Structure formats: C-alpha cells, structure tokens
Amino acid sequence: MITTKDLTKVYTSRGRQVSALRGVDLHVREGEVYGVVGTSGAGKSTLIRCVNMLERPTSGTVTVDGVELTALRGSEHRAGRELREARRRIGMVFQHFNLLSSRTVQENVELPLEITGLDRTGRRRKAAELLELVGLGGKARAYPGQLSGGQKQRVGIARALAGDPKVLLSDEATSALDPETTRSILELLRTLNQELGLTVLLITHEMDVIKSVCDSAALMRDGRIVEAGTLTDLLADDSSQLARELFPLGDLGDPGAGRPDGTVLEITFQGDTSTQPFISQLARTYQVDINILGAAVETIGGRQVGRMRVQLPGGHQDNVVPIGYLREQGLQVDVVTETGANTDSTTGVVA
C-alpha cells in the first residue's frame, strides 16, 4: 500500500547541506498498522511528510495505493491537480491537532469537504457520521477550546477521515497526551483500521505505542531504517534491537544466577504456545529439575508474548534432547550461557 525506494531528503541551510533521509526503503502492506520509531532527529517526521508529499523528496520514489506520487507534477509550495487528487486519499493526523479555534467541532470536520466542493447538506451529514464514529457525536457544536486534548485529537482524526482515505498517517498523534488518553486514541486507531480497512502508518518515539497497536515496525536512526519487520518476526529474532526494546530481557533475571553448573535457556513463546504448560510437561517427560530464573508475559501487537529464562542441570550436550523437545512445541529456544564451560560472554555460544 505504501512503498518508498531509496528515498533521500537534503535540506540546505546557510550554504550547508543536511541529509534528513538517507536512502529509505519502506514497505507497508495493505490493511496493517505500521509504526516507525526512533529518537528525535532520526528523520521520522520528514519521512511521513514525504509520504504525502508535503515535503518533496530530493530523490527516490514514493508509491501509495499503486500511484507513484513522486512522478506527479507539483512542488512543496503548489501541488498539481493529480497530486491534489492523490493526497485526498491520504488522511493525516498531527501532533498538535491543528484545529481552527474559531470553528465548531463540526465545522472543523467539514473543512476538507468544503475544499472538495461538497454541498452543505452533504457536509453536515458526513461530519455527523464521522463524529459519531470517533465518539464525539454530542460535541458537534462545541469549540476546540472547550475540549480536552484527547477530544481534540478525535476531532483531528474525524477530519482526516473526511475524504474516505485508504491510508491514515499519524505524526506523533499521541505524544502530547497523558497515558490513559493515549491508550484510548490508539484503541480508536486500531478500531478504524479493522472496521474501515485503513492502512495506518504512524511515527512515534514511544516504544509502548509500537507495542500496543502495531502489526509491523521499523527502527530509524540518522535518516536510515536500520531494522524492520512484523512484530512476530522481530520477537523471534534474538539479534533484534527492536525486540529487545519492546520486551527488555533484563527484566527476566540474571542469566548467571541459579546453580553453579547448568545450561541457561531463553524461551520465547507467542500466541497459542503462551497457554501451554511446556515447563511442567518437560519436567515430567524427561524427569529433569528446572530452575526458573525469570519470566514475563505481555500483549504486543494484539498477541500474547512471553519470555522465560530457565536453567537445566548439566552442559549443553546433556540437554540436547530437552531443548529439541521445547523447539518441537513451537517455542524459540536460545542457549544463553553454559555455566562452567568456556563460553563467549557476548554471544553465549559455547567455544
């Protein structure tokens, strides 16, 4: 649904060139919620503004819903007719709401419909439907100054949906909100994604946003995407930096703790496997004493995900069969350390 290829953006300031994007390749599938996360200055906002051509890239291509936007005529200051038409299929939600204080809630939602030339009756009907959709049916005549931050953002979302877009872009839409309101806005975005079939691309600096609502994610650093994939694939990759930040392994106890000798395993389980009593089954089947060093379970991307550190007696060779049994149950099993053996402390691989 959204694809960028070798996307670059270079700004010139006082004769000095600054690269905000450095060859960004991004692919967002139709119907998913995709999050781009990174620290301030990573290039996230520039990327999302290039996707809807509020910023024209220096080079590279942007394709949305089969239309290559970078091939359409227009500039950052004046868009051509084809580019304006393409933009109407892309909704945008901003961090600071961007509502007109002199207009009522309903009039703010009607604004993009006025621009498209829809008649007054049609505008009112459409705005009323959208306000009901975002849970503000009773606030149509209120002004932005009478609303809470979360309500203002709901108005912004309703306005973004006025053109019946297939894609919704969210530029740090929850960063100015308190945690409870953030959760409600993220739940609304997920509901809209599911009920309207919207493809949602959001940028954020908050890992909890990625954890709670996204299907896929990318990590940006210094204008580049350094890691990307579905959350399921990332969590199954023990080398993934995103997975480590989504589910910090340090919370699971010290891998060096436990008995003096033994093999420490890190077990990752997702979806249906998270409800299986695999530890007790392993202990009964192989009559092995298992020392649980730490465990945690969270809901990430709508799926239950867990990680556990356990210690089995003996070295790795003594535990080949139990480890194989765990993997046959659909679990990801990584050998963290083999206490007492010559082990690489960085990789956990027995030398």
Side-chain angles (χ1 to χ4, degrees), residues 35-39 172 174 182 186 202-214 217-221 227 231 234-235 240-248 298-301:
V36 178
V37 65
T39 57
E172 297 274 13
T174 60
T182 291
L186 293 177
L202 59 87
I203 66 168
T204 182
H205 63 274
E206 300 172 283
M207 202 59 67
D208 282 345
V209 171
I210 301 294
K211 184 185 299 184
S212 63
V213 75
C214 293
L219 175 64
M220 278 196 83
R221 185 182 297 127
E227 185 178 8
L231 294 194
L234 292 170
L235 289 165
S240 168
Q241 181 178 340
L242 259 175
R244 288 196 298 272
E245 294 190 30
L246 285 167
F247 206 143
E298 288 198 42
T299 300
I300 300 178

Side-chain angles (χ1 to χ4, degrees), residues 222-240:
D222 193 27
R224 296 182 175 90
I225 288 181
V226 297
E227 185 178 8
T230 67
L231 294 194
T232 300
D233 290 344
L234 292 170
L235 289 165
D237 181 0
D238 61 349
S239 67
S240 168

Side-chain angles (χ1 to χ4, degrees), residues 28-300:
V28 181
R29 297 171 299 175
E30 183 176 1
E32 74 174 341
V33 179
Y34 195 110
V36 178
V37 65
T39 57
S40 297
K44 308 183 302 297
S45 291
T46 302
L47 172 61
I48 205 166
R49 288 174 65 84
C50 283
V51 167
N52 65 2
M53 299 297 288
L54 290 176
E55 299 268 5
R56 183 165 281 275
T58 303
S59 63
T61 62
V62 175
T63 302
V64 179
D65 194 22
V67 178
E68 185 182 328
L69 302 186
T70 39
L72 303 180
R73 296 181 62 184
S75 68
E76 292 174 333
H77 307 292
R78 186 176 181 85
R81 182 180 59 82
E82 291 180 329
L83 182 54
R84 289 197 300 271
E85 288 296 324
R87 279 178 175 168
R88 288 172 186 167
R89 297 192 292 272
I90 304 172
M92 183 79 172
V93 184
F94 300 91
Q95 176 181 357
H96 296 297
F97 322 131
N98 289 3
L99 303 180
L100 298 178
S101 59
S102 61
R103 283 179 169 246
T104 65
V105 164
Q106 179 168 320
E107 289 168 344
N108 268 280
V109 177
E110 288 183 17
L111 181 58
L113 300 173
E114 291 179 24
I115 296 172
T116 61
L118 185 64
D119 64 83
R120 185 177 182 182
T121 301
R123 294 198 306 267
R124 287 186 169 182
R125 181 173 60 249
K126 183 69 173 180
E129 292 172 356
L130 292 171
L131 289 172
E132 286 290 343
L133 183 63
V134 301
L136 291 179
K139 296 289 185 178
R141 296 184 179 181
Y143 286 88
Q146 299 171 302
L147 304 180
S148 68
Q151 290 171 331
K152 290 177 183 177
Q153 195 56 280
R154 287 174 183 266
V155 177
I157 292 171
R159 182 184 56 191
L161 298 176
D164 296 319
K166 293 186 177 181
V167 170
L168 185 64
L169 307 181
S170 170
D171 185 4
E172 297 274 13
T174 60
S175 63
L177 305 176
D178 63 77
E180 183 176 351
T181 305
T182 291
R183 283 192 295 272
S184 71
I185 293 297
L186 293 177
E187 288 171 1
L188 174 61
L189 290 177
R190 173 54 86 179
T191 298
L192 296 173
N193 160 254
Q194 295 172 341
E195 294 185 358
L196 303 181
L198 276 177
T199 301
V200 180
L201 173 62
L202 59 87
I203 66 168
T204 182
H205 63 274
E206 300 172 283
M207 202 59 67
D208 282 345
V209 171
I210 301 294
K211 184 185 299 184
S212 63
V213 75
C214 293
D215 302 303
S216 300
L219 175 64
M220 278 196 83
R221 185 182 297 127
D222 193 27
R224 296 182 175 90
I225 288 181
V226 297
E227 185 178 8
T230 67
L231 294 194
T232 300
D233 290 344
L234 292 170
L235 289 165
D237 181 0
D238 61 349
S239 67
S240 168
Q241 181 178 340
L242 259 175
R244 288 196 298 272
E245 294 190 30
L246 285 167
F247 206 143
L249 305 187
D251 294 346
L252 304 186
D254 182 0
R259 289 188 291 265
D261 297 300
T263 300
V264 176
L265 306 179
E266 192 167 278
I267 304 170
T268 302
F269 43 95
Q270 302 186 47
D272 294 340
T273 60
S274 64
T275 62
Q276 301 303 312
F278 54 86
I279 291 297
S280 60
Q281 290 173 351
L282 176 66
R284 287 197 304 270
T285 302
Y286 295 99
Q287 297 184 343
V288 60
D289 293 328
I290 302 170
N291 186 18
I292 297 177
L293 304 179
V297 178
E298 288 198 42
T299 300
I300 300 178

